[in-house]
């Protein structure tokens, strides 16, 4: 059963939330963060991307950069740009995008749930990225950014959220990308305890976004636990910052593929090879978006093609073999293009569907890439089935939007 707890959140002083809040550390590079921060000394990028305080080209993994993250975090607290709540509370964070709103409960989740598989994963993590976030958690002794979790929707939780959001929010703003962010504080102890007890009856939560953050937070928590001669399991380092959303409110976007070359094949030869496992239909110049599973869009030489899977190329009874990305890898990327490792190959790139298929056209038309594959998005049901079966999705399969805004709340590991 799922264990969550209330906590004393560290939050922006009211009125400063728009100056402090930022995009997550892993959706932009150092130069983009430097540009977005500009002359805003309160931007959270000074903590989560502290290399922006150094000359361009500075190694973001150097010790002096990590030390600057802590120095800036302390500065934000000393200046009271960030203030810690006096009581252990829960919070609600809603995001509105394209007329759709999702409501998340801001809590702390138990590292034990992560270790035992009660918090289910669907992606592999990379050790170098884990280590980077572990250093960041260790040096700040805090979870600066939250992990995005999903849970099976619960009617009573929905009712509590519905009642709470009738109150005046603590923060309410629209970020520069047009996404609305609203934040409420739950102070009613009875409601807080009820929410905690309801989650004790929910079997699992699922990592939607933040696999490296959750792994890093868990490993640091375990390190701190192992240093204790005795521990109760209730210490703050046993928990990490999460925002939990009901699964029926979430939307997964397509995660598309770009390839640099055709492995020595001409476009005609490539299409001929594709016709062995796919029904290939030319769609012309107009952008083509797959309308359902087992269909892929191909952009090649200025034209779009519809690739319909032939019988036997997929297995809907197997959660992994049912994925379109699995079929593409099995029948195209590996045997035809000889792209054997999606995590390390320099001949393939990935673009989240939020950028639109025009991004694929632009990069192919520029000559940077040779072809692009437009994928139909994975469903929450598929994600949860894979996680429930302790399976791992192929790399770069899911893209969640909107992303959580960082800086609206922080969890300290100190008691």
């Amino acid at each position: 059963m799922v264990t969550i707890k209330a906590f004393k959140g560290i939050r922006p002083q009211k009125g400063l939330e728009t100056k402090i809040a930022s995009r997550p550390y892993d959706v932009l590079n150092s130069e983009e963060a430097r540009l977005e921060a500009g002359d805003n000394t309160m931007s959270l990028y000074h903590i989560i991307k502290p290399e922006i305080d150094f000359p361009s080209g500075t190694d973001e993994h150097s010790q002096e950069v990590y030390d600057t993250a802590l120095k800036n975090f302390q500065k934000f607290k000393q200046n009271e740009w960030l203030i810690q709540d006096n009581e252990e509370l829960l919070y609600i964070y809603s995001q509105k995008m394209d007329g759709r709103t999702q409501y998340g409960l801001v809590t702390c989740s138990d590292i034990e749930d992560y270790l035992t598989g009660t918090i289910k994963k669907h992606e592999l993590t990379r050790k170098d990225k884990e280590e980077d976030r572990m250093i960041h958690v260790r040096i700040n002794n805090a979870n600066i950014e939250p992990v995005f979790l999903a849970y099976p929707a619960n009617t009573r939780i929905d009712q509590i959220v519905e009642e709470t959001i009738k109150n005046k929010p603590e923060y309410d703003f629209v970020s520069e990308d047009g996404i609305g962010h609203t934040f409420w504080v739950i102070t009613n102890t009875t409601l807080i305890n009820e929410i905690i007890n309801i989650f004790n009856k929910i079997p699992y939560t699922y990592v939607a976004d933040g696999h490296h953050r959750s792994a890093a937070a868990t490993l640091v928590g375990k390190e701190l636990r192992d240093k204790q001669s005795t521990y109760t399991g209730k210490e703050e380092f046993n928990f990490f910052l999460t925002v939990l959303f009901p699964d029926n409110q979430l939307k997964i976007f397509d995660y598309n593929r770009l390839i640099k070359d055709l492995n020595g094949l001409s476009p005609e030869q490539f299409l001929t090879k594709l016709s062995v496992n796919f029904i290939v239909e030319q769609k012309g110049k107009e952008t083509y978006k797959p309308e359902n599973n087992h269909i892929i869009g191909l952009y090649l030489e200025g034209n779009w093609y519809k690739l319909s899977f032939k019988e036997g190329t997929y297995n809907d009874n197997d959660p992994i073999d049912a994925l379109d990305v699995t079929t593409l890898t099995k029948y195209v990327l590996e045997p035809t293009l000889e792209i054997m490792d999606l995590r390390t190959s320099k001949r393939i790139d990935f673009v989240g569907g939020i950028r639109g298929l025009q991004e694929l056209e632009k990069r192919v038309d520029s000559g940077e890439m040779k072809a692009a594959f437009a994928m139909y998005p994975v469903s929450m049901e598929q994600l949860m089935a894979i996680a429930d079966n302790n399976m791992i999705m192929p790399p770069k399969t899911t893209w969640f939007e909107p992303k959580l805004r960082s800086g609206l709340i922080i969890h300290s590991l100190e008691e």
Side-chain angles (χ1 to χ4, degrees):
M1 300 298 107
V2 172
T3 300
I4 62 169
K5 76 180 288 290
F7 66 106
K8 298 177 181 178
I10 300 173
R11 304 187 286 111
Q13 185 182 139
K14 197 165 184 178
L16 300 183
E17 60 273 13
T18 57
K19 286 186 171 294
I20 292 173
S22 75
R23 293 195 285 162
Y25 84 100
D26 55 350
V27 302
L28 73 175
N29 61 36
S30 302
E31 289 308 311
E32 290 169 331
R34 183 176 282 106
L35 186 64
E36 283 194 19
D39 59 1
N40 177 13
T41 57
M42 296 183 190
S43 171
L44 195 77
Y45 291 133
H46 293 287
I47 300 173
I48 61 173
K49 303 282 289 183
E51 67 272 16
I52 70 171
D53 290 352
F54 293 83
S56 295
T58 300
D59 180 8
E60 63 188 274
H61 301 115
S62 65
Q63 188 59 48
E64 63 177 348
V65 168
Y66 289 118
D67 289 341
T68 298
L70 175 58
K71 182 183 75 174
N72 289 338
F73 184 32
Q74 292 171 335
K75 172 184 169 183
F76 277 44
K77 291 185 288 183
Q78 288 164 0
N79 289 348
E80 295 189 344
W81 299 342
L82 293 173
I83 301 172
Q84 186 165 25
D85 288 322
N86 295 320
E87 306 171 79
E88 293 192 339
L89 305 168
L90 294 179
Y91 311 83
I92 295 172
Y93 173 24
S94 81
Q95 299 171 294
K96 185 173 183 179
M97 176 182 173
D98 297 334
R100 178 179 62 88
T101 304
Q102 56 192 36
Y103 295 90
L105 282 166
V106 185
T107 72
C108 277
S109 293
D110 196 334
I111 67 169
E112 197 63 34
D113 283 357
Y114 186 92
L115 292 168
T116 60
T118 299
I119 297 174
K120 290 184 172 286
K121 288 78 73 177
H122 66 268
E123 286 184 7
L124 294 173
T125 54
R126 284 173 43 181
K127 290 298 179 187
D128 58 335
K129 290 193 172 184
E130 277 184 21
E131 182 60 27
D132 168 59
R133 287 303 95 184
M134 286 174 69
I135 296 171
H136 201 268
V137 174
R138 281 192 204 108
I139 202 159
N140 291 294
N141 205 25
N143 309 128
I144 304 293
E145 297 183 271
V147 173
F148 183 157
L149 298 183
Y151 67 92
N154 179 278
T155 303
R156 178 55 186 148
I157 294 290
D158 290 346
Q159 291 172 346
I160 292 172
V161 169
E162 190 176 335
E163 286 300 311
T164 303
I165 63 174
K166 292 177 182 176
N167 301 322
K168 186 177 180 180
E170 188 75 2
Y171 313 129
D172 187 11
F173 65 97
V174 177
S175 50
E176 66 281 352
D177 52 10
I179 295 170
H181 305 270
T182 313
F183 194 94
W184 294 264
V185 181
I186 304 176
T187 57
N188 185 308
T189 303
T190 302
L191 278 184
I192 289 172
N193 289 332
E194 183 180 1
I195 292 168
I196 291 170
N197 290 332
I198 290 171
F199 272 93
N200 279 333
K201 297 179 177 67
I202 290 175
Y204 303 109
T205 57
Y206 301 81
V207 180
D209 201 1
H211 281 80
H212 290 97
R213 269 165 279 171
S214 53
T218 298
L219 290 168
V220 172
K222 192 171 182 302
E223 283 177 355
L224 293 170
R225 177 193 287 181
D226 292 344
K227 290 177 182 177
Q228 307 290 316
S229 55
T230 60
Y231 69 91
T232 65
K234 298 186 183 299
E235 297 87 353
E236 287 300 320
F237 59 71
N238 287 290
F239 298 87
F240 62 100
L241 181 61
T242 53
V243 186
L244 290 82
F245 290 90
D247 60 343
N248 61 1
Q249 293 182 12
L250 300 179
K251 180 178 180 180
I252 303 177
F253 285 71
D254 42 309
Y255 214 154
N256 303 310
R257 278 86 170 110
L258 286 155
I259 55 171
K260 286 185 177 291
D261 61 78
L262 298 181
N263 198 29
L265 299 172
S266 69
E268 293 75 19
Q269 290 171 325
F270 183 56
L271 290 170
T272 298
K273 283 186 172 289
L274 289 178
S275 66
V276 175
N277 295 297
F278 304 89
I279 299 169
V280 180
E281 178 185 349
Q282 185 169 342
K283 303 296 284 187
K285 304 291 184 184
E286 187 175 343
T287 303
Y288 171 70
K289 189 176 182 68
E291 53 265 51
N292 52 255
N293 281 329
H294 308 326
I295 294 175
I296 294 175
L298 166 67
Y299 187 64
L300 175 67
E301 299 280 297
N303 284 297
W304 280 96
Y305 298 83
K306 176 181 179 179
L307 308 181
S308 303
F309 296 14
K310 290 184 178 179
E311 289 294 326
T313 58
Y314 60 92
N315 177 9
D316 280 335
N317 294 317
D318 183 294
I320 295 293
D321 279 348
L323 296 174
D324 293 351
V325 292
T326 300
T327 300
L328 179 66
T329 299
K330 186 186 296 185
Y331 292 102
V332 181
L333 299 183
E334 290 182 351
T336 303
L337 297 175
E338 297 183 352
I339 296 173
M340 309 307 292
D341 189 339
L342 301 188
R343 293 179 183 278
T344 60
S345 176
K346 303 299 185 186
R347 296 172 54 222
I348 188 167
D349 198 8
F350 306 87
V351 176
I354 191 66
R355 290 181 176 267
L357 299 187
Q358 291 73 25
E359 177 72 11
L360 304 184
E361 294 174 340
K362 184 179 78 173
R363 293 181 66 181
V364 172
D365 291 343
S366 72
E368 177 199 357
M369 294 292 180
K370 186 65 178 176
F373 294 101
M375 314 301 297
Y376 188 78
V378 172
S379 68
M380 276 302 300
E381 290 76 16
Q382 286 178 298
L383 182 152
M384 294 168 77
I386 287 168
D388 286 341
N389 283 280
N390 298 314
M391 294 174 169
I392 297 297
M393 284 187 174
K396 309 292 186 182
T397 300
T398 59
W399 182 281
F400 283 88
E401 282 290 344
K403 302 290 185 186
L404 299 178
R405 211 71 176 172
S406 296
L408 294 179
I409 193 156
I410 291 168
H411 168 238
S412 173
L413 303 189
E414 297 176 10
E415 294 301 313

